[in-house]
Amino acid sequence: MTLNELVEEFLLYLSSVRGLSDNTVVSYRNDLEQLQNYLTSEIDIKNIKKENLLLCIGQLSKQNRAAASINRFIAAVRTLFAYARKFNHLSENPAADLKTVKLPKKMPNYMTESEVQQLCFQPVKSELLWKNRDVCLFLMMYSSGCRISEITNLKVDDFINNYHSAFVTGKGNKQRKVYFEENSRKAIEVYLQDRSKIIADNGILNPTKQFFINQKGQPISVNGIRYIITRYSGAEGTKHHVNPHAFRHTFATSMLANGADVRMVQEMLGHSSISTTQRYTHITTEKLIEIYNKAHPHGEK
């Protein structure tokens, strides 16, 4: 079996048997394409040794790839060859002992309360795209802590309790309940009126069930939401560019800073491991130290 054949079979297994999301499968494909480019797609997998994989990792390091990117590549390679061993394509796993590289400590990027409020109401101020939709989008992302893919895939029928909450599908097809505060709920109702009008004006007989649409009445993509955020946080807007995940980081940081239990925040974010959620506690601790140093008479000294 060639490396190319193994990769294609493995990706099909991830999507059809494991039920992983399209985004996750694409991520695996992108990482494994690097392996195919380095070793060539037609190499027999029985000829692949640990040394070949280590050289490939070294090549990525020489290209100054981020440690997180290299570790994602290593994880993809390990999972690929574990699959090959499990289904008897190989008698030994050449990737079994591959070690990840050390990650530099990096705190999640988040916004202050004033920054997030400024961005949430920037669509009203600048009217760059679709005011009511974009206010609704920003408030919902901040209020719920949803991933961008979860917001993109949210459907009209997913809402419950008069738009105060909804069910979203996260990583690993795990469903969880998220919540929207009163400002978000009101923005949802205003946007839904606009949404109905857009669909009617475009003469769409079988409208999409996807909640967020563009001005042609079509489902909006992940890249479409990225574009919206970039427009409002760029030179035409707040001039403080943020990525979509900053809303999620800000949600988690705000919840913990205001006394929410870390396990409750873990459940709201859909983290499988509490250690992922606990990194936000470091941010709130650092913020408290900063406030202390500014407020205490001897703090600055």
Side-chain angles (χ1 to χ4, degrees):
M1 173 180 276
T2 66
L3 178 58
N4 180 62
E5 290 169 339
L6 175 63
V7 168
E8 292 304 318
E9 181 182 307
F10 171 65
L11 294 175
L12 181 61
Y13 168 79
L14 292 182
S15 60
S16 59
V17 179
R18 291 277 305 278
L20 299 188
S21 69
D22 292 342
N23 288 340
T24 301
V25 175
V26 168
S27 180
Y28 270 103
R29 179 179 291 280
N30 291 339
D31 286 324
L32 294 175
E33 278 180 355
Q34 298 179 80
L35 181 68
Q36 291 172 285
N37 290 337
Y38 185 78
L39 297 179
T40 71
S41 294
E42 300 308 315
I43 186 173
D44 191 311
I45 60 172
K46 293 179 180 177
N47 294 330
I48 299 175
K49 308 299 179 187
K50 180 180 178 181
E51 291 73 21
N52 302 124
L53 302 177
L54 289 173
L55 286 172
C56 188
I57 294 168
Q59 189 67 23
L60 295 176
S61 183
K62 284 182 181 179
Q63 295 171 6
N64 294 320
R65 299 290 183 89
S69 297
I70 295 175
N71 282 345
R72 193 184 64 229
F73 168 81
I74 293 170
V77 170
R78 285 197 303 211
T79 308
L80 172 72
F81 284 101
Y83 167 86
R85 179 69 189 88
K86 178 180 179 180
F87 290 97
N88 296 317
H89 295 313
L90 288 172
S91 57
E92 293 184 4
N93 182 351
D97 297 327
L98 287 183
K99 299 289 190 293
T100 54
V101 299
K102 188 175 181 180
L103 286 169
K105 285 190 176 180
K106 185 179 179 182
M107 291 300 176
N109 178 32
Y110 70 101
M111 294 177 275
T112 64
E113 182 65 25
S114 60
E115 287 171 342
V116 75
Q117 290 300 325
Q118 183 185 12
L119 182 55
C120 282
F121 294 100
Q122 189 64 32
V124 177
K125 180 179 178 181
S126 57
E127 297 191 20
L128 290 173
L129 301 169
W130 180 350
K131 178 181 68 175
N132 290 334
R133 177 199 62 187
D134 302 337
V135 168
C136 179
L137 170 65
F138 293 168
L139 286 173
M140 284 178 60
M141 291 183 74
Y142 176 48
S143 176
S144 65
C146 281
R147 300 177 178 92
I148 185 172
S149 58
E150 294 167 350
I151 283 288
T152 304
N153 295 326
L154 187 67
K155 295 178 175 58
V156 176
D157 295 340
D158 291 333
F159 288 91
I160 57 174
N161 193 23
N162 198 25
Y163 303 111
H164 278 291
S165 52
F167 287 104
V168 298
T169 303
K171 289 184 176 180
N173 278 332
K174 293 179 181 177
Q175 196 174 69
R176 74 180 189 281
K177 192 177 182 180
V178 296
Y179 304 89
F180 306 107
E181 44 75 46
E182 191 61 22
N183 285 334
S184 298
R185 193 192 66 77
K186 290 177 180 177
I188 289 169
E189 291 182 341
V190 172
Y191 162 65
L192 281 173
Q193 293 175 10
D194 278 9
R195 185 182 183 277
S196 296
K197 187 175 185 303
I198 286 288
I199 290 171
D201 289 348
N202 282 278
I204 300 174
L205 300 178
N206 295 304
T208 177
K209 292 183 179 179
Q210 193 167 315
F211 182 69
F212 282 109
I213 60 174
N214 60 28
Q215 296 190 39
K216 293 182 179 178
Q218 301 302 315
I220 197 163
S221 65
V222 166
N223 286 336
I225 291 180
R226 289 185 189 279
Y227 172 76
I228 292 168
I229 296 171
T230 298
R231 285 291 299 273
Y232 287 111
S233 65
E236 300 168 283
T238 62
K239 299 180 176 63
H240 178 71
H241 176 70
V242 298
N243 59 48
H245 226 56
F247 284 96
R248 183 169 164 85
H249 294 325
T250 306
F251 166 82
T253 305
S254 299
M255 292 291 290
L256 290 168
N258 286 293
D261 180 78
V262 66
R263 291 198 177 276
M264 182 181 75
V265 177
Q266 176 193 3
E267 184 176 338
M268 289 181 172
L269 291 172
H271 286 156
S272 57
S273 170
I274 196 168
S275 61
T276 308
T277 314
Q278 284 175 327
R279 62 181 176 161
Y280 295 104
T281 63
H282 298 306
I283 296 175
T284 55
T285 302
E286 286 186 357
K287 191 65 178 175
L288 286 172
I289 292 171
E290 180 185 338
I291 293 170
Y292 172 84
N293 285 334
K294 287 181 178 179
H296 195 279
H298 297 167
E300 291 298 328
K301 297 178 182 179

